[in-house]
Structures are given as structure tokens and as C-alpha cells.
Amino acid sequence: MSPSALAFTASALAAAGLVAAWPPERPSGTTPTPEQLAWQDLEYGMFVHFSINTFNDMEWSDGTLSPSTFNPTAFDPKQWARVAKDAGMKYLVFTAKHHDGFCTWPSAYTDYSVRSSPWRDGKGDCVREVANACREAGLRFGIYLSPWDRHAPSYADNAAYDRYYTDQIRELLTNYGDVMEWWCDGAGGEGHVYDWAGYYRALKQLQPSCLQAIAGNSDIRWVGNEDGLAPDTLWNVVHVDGQPYWWPAECDVPLRRNWFWHTDDADSAKSLDHLLDIYHRSVGHGAGLLLNVAPDRRGLIPEADAARVRELWDTVCRLYRLDMARSRACDASSSTPLHPARLACDGDPNTYWRAAEGDARPWITVKLGDTRRIDRVVLEEYLPLGQHVSGFRVQCFDGDEWTNVFEGTTIGHKRIAVFAAVPAQVVRVRLQTEAGTPALRSLGVYLGEE
Ligand code: FUL
């Protein structure tokens, strides 16, 4: 087929809406693995800190608390999973072991675990029940296994501890089904040398699609604070020793002041406004959000906390209920044959608009059909082709003139731009790139406030 016939066929296919990924577009630059891509699409998860600290009003205990204190009266991770689902969360990461070394599963490698507790006569296994509850509810499951261990005697000997930690990786990745995220941090243990490369190898041998988060040779990076906030400019590609890596960021933050449940911090739960701000500055800046909700001594998420996270999701759903750009007429400075502008507004996450190579000033417009009041625009890049946008400007035409309403830097997985409400007939987004050709998976237009 001649090139012009190919282009004709391509545009006919595009016009008919048959624009799946054929022929595959050439990505430019560094791109995510399929697992990273799937993780980025989850956007929002629940962190659950629940262990021996819960029963002792502690955040960091030193490995000497008696296992006899661990005794939830109504342990029910199905309730956690229900809360997470109702709150719009797509995954859950559970503390199998915190810094104190207490194991919430009956590890074969230590007695400092639920097996030595009175809970269910020492026959309980929190990790199993949490994993099963997540699976039943359709939540992806993750495990936090703290490298810093203040109980294990082997911790004093690097090589012995590496064996211990690796044995526990093996237990947890062999006996509990799919683990989507392996969460480990560098807190405490300063001066201790961990065999991060060995842990990563063990992890990938056992479950190649499991993503290591935060510390060590991770697939997901820590955003750098525990406030739940990603910076305005967030690149997924980070250079390590001069080599580019796709390294998406996760924001972790507790709902209350502390990570574990305490007797005296119920009134420290973040307000709805605060949580909404966190959502907009994490997910809305292109990062993932892992919000911690702490079960109490019953082993249940307190009703007030459950209500707060549900309220957050209800609000997000209300703000982003009606996309005024959906299926509206689009235009662009240029496009590639199979990827015309309208694919940014078709609501299909697998299609995208891509500007033509060499387009130095790409822009896309969407006609809203009428004059509408709008106060937010949601943009997403099509990440299988890489992240390219380094700057963007949102402009509105009210029937008379164009006004600039928002200027931002990166887009990446998602960018939520909120501005004072304005009337608009046409919305235009101008893009700037440092290198490569931008591809927009989504352009949404909303009115949230009012
Ligand atoms: C930190 C820990 O020290 C905190 O206790 C908490 O688990 C938080 C999520 O990570 O590194």
C-alpha cells in the first residue's frame, strides 16, 4: 500500500472510530513498564497501619512490647475493604511488620508474631484475612514489611538479617496470592547496610509484576514528604547516575495525626477541605495517593474515619460528574493520522490525540456547544508514549475574546487545573514540550463549585 493510501485508510479508520493502537506509535524517550502504567491508573489507595502499636498507644515501639497485648475483639478486614471501595480507593497496603518487628502473620522465622498472642488462641493470620478481603472486594493488595526491625536479634548482623528479611519476603510472596505493591522505607536503622539489590531480586523472582515502593531499588518513588503533596512540576522520568528511569511518585499521608490508631487523636482527623486539597495536589499533580486509615483496638475502622473518607470521594465524584468536553467537536494545531484531536475527548482511556512530529506550538480546542461556566480542566498524557509536556496554558473563548485562565507545568498521568469560574464556548489548551511529541489521552472540562 502506498503511503498516501495508508494515510487515507488511517483517517477513514479514525473517522469510523476504529483507532485502536495500530500501527503502534513510536514512543519517544523513557516509558513506563506495563505494571507501572497499571499502578498509575489506580491513582488512589488505602494505607492501613494496624499492629501491636495499636494496642499500646504507640507509633514506634522498640520491639519489647508483649505479644499478649495484641488482641483485637472484632478484627474484620472485610469492613476495611468495604470502606476502601466506598471511598473510591483501588488498592490497600497493609503493615505485615512495622519497625518493632512484630509480625501480623505467623512467620516461621520468629515467635514475635500473632502466633504468640491471645488473639484467636494464636491461630490468627491478619495478612491472610486482609489479602482475602481485598481479593473479594476487587482491591489490589500491597504489603509493608519494615526493613528496620527492632526485635530481630539478627538485625545486629547485616548478612544474617538479609537472610531473615529475604525469608520473610519469600513467605509473604508465596503464601498470600498476588501482591501488587511491596512497600518498604528507610526510617530508623541508620548505619545498617541492607542488601537492597538482593531483596529486589527475590521479590521479582517470586512475583515479577510486584512493584517495590519507596526505599531500595524501587519501581515507585516516595514523593518526599508525609503531607500527601506532590510538587507542581512532577516528572516521571528521573535520572539516576545519568541514566533515565521511569519512576512514578506516591504520596503517603495519614488521615489522623498518627499512622497507628491512638486513644487521643480522633479529633485530629483531617477536614474534608484539607483532604480535597491533598487529592488535588497528589492525584491532581500526577502522583498516586496512599491515604492511611487506622483500625482501632476492635480491628475496625472507626465510623467517623470511614465517613470522612467516603465524604471525600462523594465530593470528588460530584466535582467531576459532568465532563462538558465529552464527545464535543475538537480541533488541533496538527495531529497524526490515527490520533485526531477528538480522541482526547472521547472518554476512552486507550485512545489519544497526538500532535504531528515537528509541531513546535501544539494546541487543542474543544467547543462546548454553548456558553458554559467552567472552573476546572483535567488533562492526562498518554504515558505509553512517554511524558512530554513541560508547560501548558488553558484559554477560554467566551464569544467575544480569549482569556488565559490557567498556566501550569507538567501533566504526566493527570493534571487538575482549578481556576475561578468563567464563561466559555471554546476551551483551548496550548502545550509546550522540551522534547518529543505530546499525546493527550484526555481533556475534560468541568464546573465544580456552584
Ligand atoms: C515511616 C514510618 O516511620 C512511620 O511510622 C510510618 O509507617 C510511615 C508510613 O512510614 O517511614
Side-chain angles (χ1 to χ4, degrees), residues 43 228 230-232 234 251 276-289 320 377-379 392 406 410-411 413-418:
E43 291 188 349
D232 273 350
L234 189 73
C251 301
L276 198 57
D277 185 52
I278 287 175
Y279 181 85
H280 281 130
R281 293 163 71 184
S282 54
V283 175
H285 283 185
L289 172 60
Y320 300 99
V377 162
V378 181
L379 300 166
F392 69 93
F406 193 92
T410 49
I411 296 176
H413 177 260
K414 181 171 278 185
R415 178 69 198 214
I416 303 180
V418 182

PDB file of all heavy atoms in Angstrom, residues 43 228 230-232 234 251 276-289 320 377-379 392 406 410-411 413-418:
ATOM      1  N   GLU A  43      -4.324   5.214  40.902  1.00  0.00           N
ATOM      2  CA  GLU A  43      -4.357   6.592  41.458  1.00  0.00           C
ATOM      3  C   GLU A  43      -4.464   6.697  42.979  1.00  0.00           C
ATOM      4  O   GLU A  43      -3.856   7.558  43.579  1.00  0.00           O
ATOM      5  CB  GLU A  43      -5.525   7.404  40.868  1.00  0.00           C
ATOM      6  CG  GLU A  43      -5.361   7.739  39.417  1.00  0.00           C
ATOM      7  CD  GLU A  43      -6.420   8.708  38.921  1.00  0.00           C
ATOM      8  OE1 GLU A  43      -7.411   8.970  39.633  1.00  0.00           O
ATOM      9  OE2 GLU A  43      -6.246   9.212  37.787  1.00  0.00           O
ATOM     10  N   GLY A 228       1.194  14.237  51.878  1.00  0.00           N
ATOM     11  CA  GLY A 228       0.312  13.865  50.764  1.00  0.00           C
ATOM     12  C   GLY A 228       0.406  14.818  49.588  1.00  0.00           C
ATOM     13  O   GLY A 228      -0.505  14.864  48.755  1.00  0.00           O
ATOM     14  N   ALA A 230       2.329  16.378  46.187  1.00  0.00           N
ATOM     15  CA  ALA A 230       3.340  16.305  45.120  1.00  0.00           C
ATOM     16  C   ALA A 230       3.626  17.735  44.645  1.00  0.00           C
ATOM     17  O   ALA A 230       2.744  18.598  44.704  1.00  0.00           O
ATOM     18  CB  ALA A 230       2.814  15.464  43.964  1.00  0.00           C
ATOM     19  N   PRO A 231       4.834  17.995  44.178  1.00  0.00           N
ATOM     20  CA  PRO A 231       5.127  19.348  43.690  1.00  0.00           C
ATOM     21  C   PRO A 231       4.332  19.674  42.419  1.00  0.00           C
ATOM     22  O   PRO A 231       3.805  18.774  41.767  1.00  0.00           O
ATOM     23  CB  PRO A 231       6.625  19.295  43.380  1.00  0.00           C
ATOM     24  CG  PRO A 231       6.962  17.854  43.247  1.00  0.00           C
ATOM     25  CD  PRO A 231       5.976  17.085  44.057  1.00  0.00           C
ATOM     26  N   ASP A 232       4.268  20.955  42.092  1.00  0.00           N
ATOM     27  CA  ASP A 232       3.564  21.397  40.873  1.00  0.00           C
ATOM     28  C   ASP A 232       4.153  20.741  39.631  1.00  0.00           C
ATOM     29  O   ASP A 232       3.446  20.374  38.714  1.00  0.00           O
ATOM     30  CB  ASP A 232       3.724  22.910  40.696  1.00  0.00           C
ATOM     31  CG  ASP A 232       2.650  23.648  41.455  1.00  0.00           C
ATOM     32  OD1 ASP A 232       1.704  23.007  41.932  1.00  0.00           O
ATOM     33  OD2 ASP A 232       2.770  24.880  41.561  1.00  0.00           O
ATOM     34  N   LEU A 234       6.009  17.718  38.186  1.00  0.00           N
ATOM     35  CA  LEU A 234       6.309  16.328  38.559  1.00  0.00           C
ATOM     36  C   LEU A 234       6.623  15.522  37.307  1.00  0.00           C
ATOM     37  O   LEU A 234       5.736  15.209  36.514  1.00  0.00           O
ATOM     38  CB  LEU A 234       5.106  15.718  39.290  1.00  0.00           C
ATOM     39  CG  LEU A 234       5.375  14.348  39.912  1.00  0.00           C
ATOM     40  CD1 LEU A 234       6.254  14.468  41.155  1.00  0.00           C
ATOM     41  CD2 LEU A 234       4.078  13.633  40.283  1.00  0.00           C
ATOM     42  N   CYS A 251       2.331   9.508  47.097  1.00  0.00           N
ATOM     43  CA  CYS A 251       2.211  10.401  48.248  1.00  0.00           C
ATOM     44  C   CYS A 251       1.537   9.625  49.368  1.00  0.00           C
ATOM     45  O   CYS A 251       0.402   9.183  49.201  1.00  0.00           O
ATOM     46  CB  CYS A 251       1.300  11.582  47.917  1.00  0.00           C
ATOM     47  SG  CYS A 251       1.835  12.595  46.540  1.00  0.00           S
ATOM     48  N   LEU A 276      -9.416  17.295  50.381  1.00  0.00           N
ATOM     49  CA  LEU A 276      -9.656  17.632  48.979  1.00  0.00           C
ATOM     50  C   LEU A 276      -8.431  18.339  48.386  1.00  0.00           C
ATOM     51  O   LEU A 276      -8.032  18.086  47.245  1.00  0.00           O
ATOM     52  CB  LEU A 276     -10.890  18.539  48.902  1.00  0.00           C
ATOM     53  CG  LEU A 276     -11.558  18.650  47.549  1.00  0.00           C
ATOM     54  CD1 LEU A 276     -11.964  17.281  47.019  1.00  0.00           C
ATOM     55  CD2 LEU A 276     -12.788  19.555  47.659  1.00  0.00           C
ATOM     56  N   ASP A 277      -7.828  19.187  49.197  1.00  0.00           N
ATOM     57  CA  ASP A 277      -6.605  19.857  48.768  1.00  0.00           C
ATOM     58  C   ASP A 277      -5.497  18.818  48.525  1.00  0.00           C
ATOM     59  O   ASP A 277      -4.782  18.880  47.513  1.00  0.00           O
ATOM     60  CB  ASP A 277      -6.173  20.857  49.853  1.00  0.00           C
ATOM     61  CG  ASP A 277      -4.967  21.669  49.417  1.00  0.00           C
ATOM     62  OD1 ASP A 277      -5.027  22.251  48.323  1.00  0.00           O
ATOM     63  OD2 ASP A 277      -3.966  21.695  50.166  1.00  0.00           O
ATOM     64  N   ILE A 278      -5.388  17.843  49.425  1.00  0.00           N
ATOM     65  CA  ILE A 278      -4.405  16.766  49.253  1.00  0.00           C
ATOM     66  C   ILE A 278      -4.678  16.011  47.953  1.00  0.00           C
ATOM     67  O   ILE A 278      -3.773  15.735  47.167  1.00  0.00           O
ATOM     68  CB  ILE A 278      -4.435  15.814  50.473  1.00  0.00           C
ATOM     69  CG1 ILE A 278      -3.788  16.487  51.682  1.00  0.00           C
ATOM     70  CG2 ILE A 278      -3.766  14.475  50.154  1.00  0.00           C
ATOM     71  CD1 ILE A 278      -3.877  15.692  52.973  1.00  0.00           C
ATOM     72  N   TYR A 279      -5.944  15.690  47.711  1.00  0.00           N
ATOM     73  CA  TYR A 279      -6.303  14.943  46.498  1.00  0.00           C
ATOM     74  C   TYR A 279      -5.878  15.727  45.249  1.00  0.00           C
ATOM     75  O   TYR A 279      -5.274  15.183  44.323  1.00  0.00           O
ATOM     76  CB  TYR A 279      -7.818  14.676  46.484  1.00  0.00           C
ATOM     77  CG  TYR A 279      -8.263  13.886  45.289  1.00  0.00           C
ATOM     78  CD1 TYR A 279      -8.204  12.493  45.293  1.00  0.00           C
ATOM     79  CD2 TYR A 279      -8.708  14.526  44.128  1.00  0.00           C
ATOM     80  CE1 TYR A 279      -8.582  11.761  44.180  1.00  0.00           C
ATOM     81  CE2 TYR A 279      -9.087  13.803  43.014  1.00  0.00           C
ATOM     82  CZ  TYR A 279      -9.023  12.421  43.047  1.00  0.00           C
ATOM     83  OH  TYR A 279      -9.385  11.709  41.941  1.00  0.00           O
ATOM     84  N   HIS A 280      -6.193  17.015  45.253  1.00  0.00           N
ATOM     85  CA  HIS A 280      -5.862  17.827  44.078  1.00  0.00           C
ATOM     86  C   HIS A 280      -4.355  17.996  43.894  1.00  0.00           C
ATOM     87  O   HIS A 280      -3.878  18.157  42.772  1.00  0.00           O
ATOM     88  CB  HIS A 280      -6.540  19.200  44.174  1.00  0.00           C
ATOM     89  CG  HIS A 280      -7.992  19.133  43.801  1.00  0.00           C
ATOM     90  ND1 HIS A 280      -8.993  19.666  44.571  1.00  0.00           N
ATOM     91  CD2 HIS A 280      -8.603  18.572  42.738  1.00  0.00           C
ATOM     92  CE1 HIS A 280     -10.163  19.441  43.983  1.00  0.00           C
ATOM     93  NE2 HIS A 280      -9.956  18.778  42.869  1.00  0.00           N
ATOM     94  N   ARG A 281      -3.619  17.959  44.998  1.00  0.00           N
ATOM     95  CA  ARG A 281      -2.169  18.174  44.893  1.00  0.00           C
ATOM     96  C   ARG A 281      -1.371  16.865  44.881  1.00  0.00           C
ATOM     97  O   ARG A 281      -0.152  16.889  44.883  1.00  0.00           O
ATOM     98  CB  ARG A 281      -1.705  19.099  46.020  1.00  0.00           C
ATOM     99  CG  ARG A 281      -2.285  20.509  45.811  1.00  0.00           C
ATOM    100  CD  ARG A 281      -2.205  21.335  47.060  1.00  0.00           C
ATOM    101  NE  ARG A 281      -0.848  21.729  47.379  1.00  0.00           N
ATOM    102  CZ  ARG A 281      -0.507  22.404  48.474  1.00  0.00           C
ATOM    103  NH1 ARG A 281      -1.434  22.735  49.367  1.00  0.00           N
ATOM    104  NH2 ARG A 281       0.738  22.731  48.699  1.00  0.00           N
ATOM    105  N   SER A 282      -2.044  15.740  44.865  1.00  0.00           N
ATOM    106  CA  SER A 282      -1.363  14.449  44.680  1.00  0.00           C
ATOM    107  C   SER A 282      -1.845  13.860  43.360  1.00  0.00           C
ATOM    108  O   SER A 282      -1.164  14.000  42.328  1.00  0.00           O
ATOM    109  CB  SER A 282      -1.634  13.527  45.870  1.00  0.00           C
ATOM    110  OG  SER A 282      -3.020  13.372  46.104  1.00  0.00           O
ATOM    111  N   VAL A 283      -3.040  13.288  43.364  1.00  0.00           N
ATOM    112  CA  VAL A 283      -3.607  12.737  42.119  1.00  0.00           C
ATOM    113  C   VAL A 283      -3.666  13.833  41.052  1.00  0.00           C
ATOM    114  O   VAL A 283      -3.294  13.608  39.894  1.00  0.00           O
ATOM    115  CB  VAL A 283      -5.025  12.155  42.377  1.00  0.00           C
ATOM    116  CG1 VAL A 283      -5.657  11.694  41.074  1.00  0.00           C
ATOM    117  CG2 VAL A 283      -4.941  10.996  43.378  1.00  0.00           C
ATOM    118  N   GLY A 284      -4.061  15.020  41.475  1.00  0.00           N
ATOM    119  CA  GLY A 284      -4.203  16.139  40.533  1.00  0.00           C
ATOM    120  C   GLY A 284      -2.879  16.705  40.049  1.00  0.00           C
ATOM    121  O   GLY A 284      -2.850  17.554  39.160  1.00  0.00           O
ATOM    122  N   HIS A 285      -1.781  16.255  40.634  1.00  0.00           N
ATOM    123  CA  HIS A 285      -0.452  16.636  40.146  1.00  0.00           C
ATOM    124  C   HIS A 285       0.238  15.459  39.465  1.00  0.00           C
ATOM    125  O   HIS A 285       1.441  15.509  39.213  1.00  0.00           O
ATOM    126  CB  HIS A 285       0.427  17.138  41.297  1.00  0.00           C
ATOM    127  CG  HIS A 285       0.095  18.536  41.738  1.00  0.00           C
ATOM    128  ND1 HIS A 285       0.824  19.217  42.679  1.00  0.00           N
ATOM    129  CD2 HIS A 285      -0.883  19.391  41.352  1.00  0.00           C
ATOM    130  CE1 HIS A 285       0.315  20.424  42.868  1.00  0.00           C
ATOM    131  NE2 HIS A 285      -0.734  20.547  42.076  1.00  0.00           N
ATOM    132  N   GLY A 286      -0.507  14.373  39.255  1.00  0.00           N
ATOM    133  CA  GLY A 286       0.062  13.252  38.502  1.00  0.00           C
ATOM    134  C   GLY A 286       0.716  12.174  39.343  1.00  0.00           C
ATOM    135  O   GLY A 286       1.385  11.290  38.807  1.00  0.00           O
ATOM    136  N   ALA A 287       0.535  12.229  40.687  1.00  0.00           N
ATOM    137  CA  ALA A 287       1.122  11.202  41.563  1.00  0.00           C
ATOM    138  C   ALA A 287       0.027  10.253  42.039  1.00  0.00           C
ATOM    139  O   ALA A 287      -1.156  10.488  41.815  1.00  0.00           O
ATOM    140  CB  ALA A 287       1.792  11.865  42.762  1.00  0.00           C
ATOM    141  N   GLY A 288       0.434   9.191  42.750  1.00  0.00           N
ATOM    142  CA  GLY A 288      -0.542   8.324  43.402  1.00  0.00           C
ATOM    143  C   GLY A 288      -0.749   8.820  44.826  1.00  0.00           C
ATOM    144  O   GLY A 288       0.132   9.454  45.406  1.00  0.00           O
ATOM    145  N   LEU A 289      -1.914   8.530  45.393  1.00  0.00           N
ATOM    146  CA  LEU A 289      -2.205   8.928  46.776  1.00  0.00           C
ATOM    147  C   LEU A 289      -2.505   7.686  47.609  1.00  0.00           C
ATOM    148  O   LEU A 289      -3.396   6.905  47.272  1.00  0.00           O
ATOM    149  CB  LEU A 289      -3.411   9.884  46.807  1.00  0.00           C
ATOM    150  CG  LEU A 289      -3.946  10.236  48.202  1.00  0.00           C
ATOM    151  CD1 LEU A 289      -2.884  10.908  49.073  1.00  0.00           C
ATOM    152  CD2 LEU A 289      -5.172  11.160  48.087  1.00  0.00           C
ATOM    153  N   TYR A 320     -16.471  16.097  39.620  1.00  0.00           N
ATOM    154  CA  TYR A 320     -16.058  15.625  38.287  1.00  0.00           C
ATOM    155  C   TYR A 320     -17.133  14.745  37.639  1.00  0.00           C
ATOM    156  O   TYR A 320     -16.833  13.835  36.882  1.00  0.00           O
ATOM    157  CB  TYR A 320     -14.692  14.913  38.393  1.00  0.00           C
ATOM    158  CG  TYR A 320     -13.673  15.885  38.927  1.00  0.00           C
ATOM    159  CD1 TYR A 320     -13.316  15.872  40.271  1.00  0.00           C
ATOM    160  CD2 TYR A 320     -13.165  16.898  38.112  1.00  0.00           C
ATOM    161  CE1 TYR A 320     -12.439  16.824  40.790  1.00  0.00           C
ATOM    162  CE2 TYR A 320     -12.294  17.847  38.623  1.00  0.00           C
ATOM    163  CZ  TYR A 320     -11.935  17.806  39.955  1.00  0.00           C
ATOM    164  OH  TYR A 320     -11.093  18.759  40.456  1.00  0.00           O
ATOM    165  N   VAL A 377     -10.177  22.130  34.485  1.00  0.00           N
ATOM    166  CA  VAL A 377      -9.844  21.338  33.309  1.00  0.00           C
ATOM    167  C   VAL A 377      -8.952  20.191  33.801  1.00  0.00           C
ATOM    168  O   VAL A 377      -8.076  20.399  34.641  1.00  0.00           O
ATOM    169  CB  VAL A 377      -9.093  22.226  32.278  1.00  0.00           C
ATOM    170  CG1 VAL A 377      -8.345  21.392  31.259  1.00  0.00           C
ATOM    171  CG2 VAL A 377     -10.076  23.168  31.583  1.00  0.00           C
ATOM    172  N   VAL A 378      -9.234  18.996  33.313  1.00  0.00           N
ATOM    173  CA  VAL A 378      -8.425  17.842  33.707  1.00  0.00           C
ATOM    174  C   VAL A 378      -7.706  17.298  32.470  1.00  0.00           C
ATOM    175  O   VAL A 378      -8.345  16.987  31.461  1.00  0.00           O
ATOM    176  CB  VAL A 378      -9.293  16.734  34.345  1.00  0.00           C
ATOM    177  CG1 VAL A 378      -8.417  15.557  34.777  1.00  0.00           C
ATOM    178  CG2 VAL A 378     -10.064  17.282  35.544  1.00  0.00           C
ATOM    179  N   LEU A 379      -6.392  17.233  32.558  1.00  0.00           N
ATOM    180  CA  LEU A 379      -5.578  16.794  31.418  1.00  0.00           C
ATOM    181  C   LEU A 379      -4.831  15.515  31.778  1.00  0.00           C
ATOM    182  O   LEU A 379      -4.393  15.342  32.922  1.00  0.00           O
ATOM    183  CB  LEU A 379      -4.552  17.879  31.074  1.00  0.00           C
ATOM    184  CG  LEU A 379      -5.142  19.234  30.686  1.00  0.00           C
ATOM    185  CD1 LEU A 379      -4.059  20.298  30.703  1.00  0.00           C
ATOM    186  CD2 LEU A 379      -5.788  19.150  29.307  1.00  0.00           C
ATOM    187  N   PHE A 392       1.827  24.194  30.063  1.00  0.00           N
ATOM    188  CA  PHE A 392       0.564  24.300  29.327  1.00  0.00           C
ATOM    189  C   PHE A 392      -0.184  25.546  29.780  1.00  0.00           C
ATOM    190  O   PHE A 392       0.062  26.076  30.867  1.00  0.00           O
ATOM    191  CB  PHE A 392      -0.298  23.043  29.520  1.00  0.00           C
ATOM    192  CG  PHE A 392      -0.838  22.882  30.913  1.00  0.00           C
ATOM    193  CD1 PHE A 392      -2.093  23.367  31.265  1.00  0.00           C
ATOM    194  CD2 PHE A 392      -0.088  22.249  31.899  1.00  0.00           C
ATOM    195  CE1 PHE A 392      -2.591  23.219  32.548  1.00  0.00           C
ATOM    196  CE2 PHE A 392      -0.579  22.107  33.189  1.00  0.00           C
ATOM    197  CZ  PHE A 392      -1.838  22.593  33.506  1.00  0.00           C
ATOM    198  N   PHE A 406      -5.431  29.639  33.109  1.00  0.00           N
ATOM    199  CA  PHE A 406      -4.549  28.804  33.943  1.00  0.00           C
ATOM    200  C   PHE A 406      -3.240  28.556  33.214  1.00  0.00           C
ATOM    201  O   PHE A 406      -3.228  28.342  32.004  1.00  0.00           O
ATOM    202  CB  PHE A 406      -5.215  27.452  34.243  1.00  0.00           C
ATOM    203  CG  PHE A 406      -4.519  26.668  35.324  1.00  0.00           C
ATOM    204  CD1 PHE A 406      -4.911  26.782  36.651  1.00  0.00           C
ATOM    205  CD2 PHE A 406      -3.457  25.818  35.017  1.00  0.00           C
ATOM    206  CE1 PHE A 406      -4.260  26.065  37.657  1.00  0.00           C
ATOM    207  CE2 PHE A 406      -2.798  25.103  36.018  1.00  0.00           C
ATOM    208  CZ  PHE A 406      -3.208  25.222  37.338  1.00  0.00           C
ATOM    209  N   THR A 410       4.043  20.570  34.279  1.00  0.00           N
ATOM    210  CA  THR A 410       3.894  19.198  33.763  1.00  0.00           C
ATOM    211  C   THR A 410       2.450  18.704  33.847  1.00  0.00           C
ATOM    212  O   THR A 410       1.628  19.221  34.617  1.00  0.00           O
ATOM    213  CB  THR A 410       4.787  18.238  34.579  1.00  0.00           C
ATOM    214  OG1 THR A 410       4.560  18.486  35.970  1.00  0.00           O
ATOM    215  CG2 THR A 410       6.249  18.465  34.270  1.00  0.00           C
ATOM    216  N   ILE A 411       2.142  17.672  33.053  1.00  0.00           N
ATOM    217  CA  ILE A 411       0.837  16.994  33.102  1.00  0.00           C
ATOM    218  C   ILE A 411       1.053  15.557  33.578  1.00  0.00           C
ATOM    219  O   ILE A 411       0.591  15.166  34.624  1.00  0.00           O
ATOM    220  CB  ILE A 411       0.140  17.026  31.730  1.00  0.00           C
ATOM    221  CG1 ILE A 411      -0.187  18.469  31.334  1.00  0.00           C
ATOM    222  CG2 ILE A 411      -1.141  16.184  31.774  1.00  0.00           C
ATOM    223  CD1 ILE A 411      -0.797  18.609  29.944  1.00  0.00           C
ATOM    224  N   HIS A 413       0.608  11.766  34.323  1.00  0.00           N
ATOM    225  CA  HIS A 413      -0.579  10.906  34.433  1.00  0.00           C
ATOM    226  C   HIS A 413      -1.862  11.714  34.505  1.00  0.00           C
ATOM    227  O   HIS A 413      -2.874  11.367  33.905  1.00  0.00           O
ATOM    228  CB  HIS A 413      -0.469   9.995  35.653  1.00  0.00           C
ATOM    229  CG  HIS A 413      -1.700   9.157  35.816  1.00  0.00           C
ATOM    230  ND1 HIS A 413      -2.700   9.456  36.706  1.00  0.00           N
ATOM    231  CD2 HIS A 413      -2.113   8.070  35.134  1.00  0.00           C
ATOM    232  CE1 HIS A 413      -3.669   8.562  36.578  1.00  0.00           C
ATOM    233  NE2 HIS A 413      -3.331   7.720  35.636  1.00  0.00           N
ATOM    234  N   LYS A 414      -1.840  12.803  35.268  1.00  0.00           N
ATOM    235  CA  LYS A 414      -3.047  13.632  35.369  1.00  0.00           C
ATOM    236  C   LYS A 414      -2.671  15.006  35.888  1.00  0.00           C
ATOM    237  O   LYS A 414      -1.786  15.142  36.724  1.00  0.00           O
ATOM    238  CB  LYS A 414      -4.043  12.967  36.322  1.00  0.00           C
ATOM    239  CG  LYS A 414      -5.342  13.737  36.486  1.00  0.00           C
ATOM    240  CD  LYS A 414      -6.381  12.940  37.256  1.00  0.00           C
ATOM    241  CE  LYS A 414      -7.108  11.968  36.357  1.00  0.00           C
ATOM    242  NZ  LYS A 414      -8.210  11.268  37.036  1.00  0.00           N
ATOM    243  N   ARG A 415      -3.391  15.998  35.403  1.00  0.00           N
ATOM    244  CA  ARG A 415      -3.215  17.334  35.944  1.00  0.00           C
ATOM    245  C   ARG A 415      -4.590  17.961  36.087  1.00  0.00           C
ATOM    246  O   ARG A 415      -5.345  18.066  35.113  1.00  0.00           O
ATOM    247  CB  ARG A 415      -2.366  18.179  34.979  1.00  0.00           C
ATOM    248  CG  ARG A 415      -2.154  19.585  35.410  1.00  0.00           C
ATOM    249  CD  ARG A 415      -1.242  19.612  36.637  1.00  0.00           C
ATOM    250  NE  ARG A 415      -1.355  20.878  37.300  1.00  0.00           N
ATOM    251  CZ  ARG A 415      -0.357  21.490  37.929  1.00  0.00           C
ATOM    252  NH1 ARG A 415       0.826  20.932  37.986  1.00  0.00           N
ATOM    253  NH2 ARG A 415      -0.550  22.634  38.510  1.00  0.00           N
ATOM    254  N   ILE A 416      -4.942  18.347  37.300  1.00  0.00           N
ATOM    255  CA  ILE A 416      -6.229  19.006  37.522  1.00  0.00           C
ATOM    256  C   ILE A 416      -5.947  20.498  37.698  1.00  0.00           C
ATOM    257  O   ILE A 416      -5.238  20.893  38.620  1.00  0.00           O
ATOM    258  CB  ILE A 416      -6.947  18.447  38.770  1.00  0.00           C
ATOM    259  CG1 ILE A 416      -7.145  16.916  38.632  1.00  0.00           C
ATOM    260  CG2 ILE A 416      -8.285  19.148  38.968  1.00  0.00           C
ATOM    261  CD1 ILE A 416      -7.845  16.261  39.821  1.00  0.00           C
ATOM    262  N   ALA A 417      -6.480  21.277  36.784  1.00  0.00           N
ATOM    263  CA  ALA A 417      -6.282  22.736  36.834  1.00  0.00           C
ATOM    264  C   ALA A 417      -7.589  23.374  37.304  1.00  0.00           C
ATOM    265  O   ALA A 417      -8.613  23.256  36.640  1.00  0.00           O
ATOM    266  CB  ALA A 417      -5.907  23.245  35.444  1.00  0.00           C
ATOM    267  N   VAL A 418      -7.539  24.021  38.469  1.00  0.00           N
ATOM    268  CA  VAL A 418      -8.737  24.659  39.033  1.00  0.00           C
ATOM    269  C   VAL A 418      -8.545  26.167  38.976  1.00  0.00           C
ATOM    270  O   VAL A 418      -7.474  26.677  39.304  1.00  0.00           O
ATOM    271  CB  VAL A 418      -8.961  24.207  40.501  1.00  0.00           C
ATOM    272  CG1 VAL A 418     -10.222  24.833  41.082  1.00  0.00           C
ATOM    273  CG2 VAL A 418      -9.031  22.683  40.590  1.00  0.00           C
TER     274      VAL A 418
END
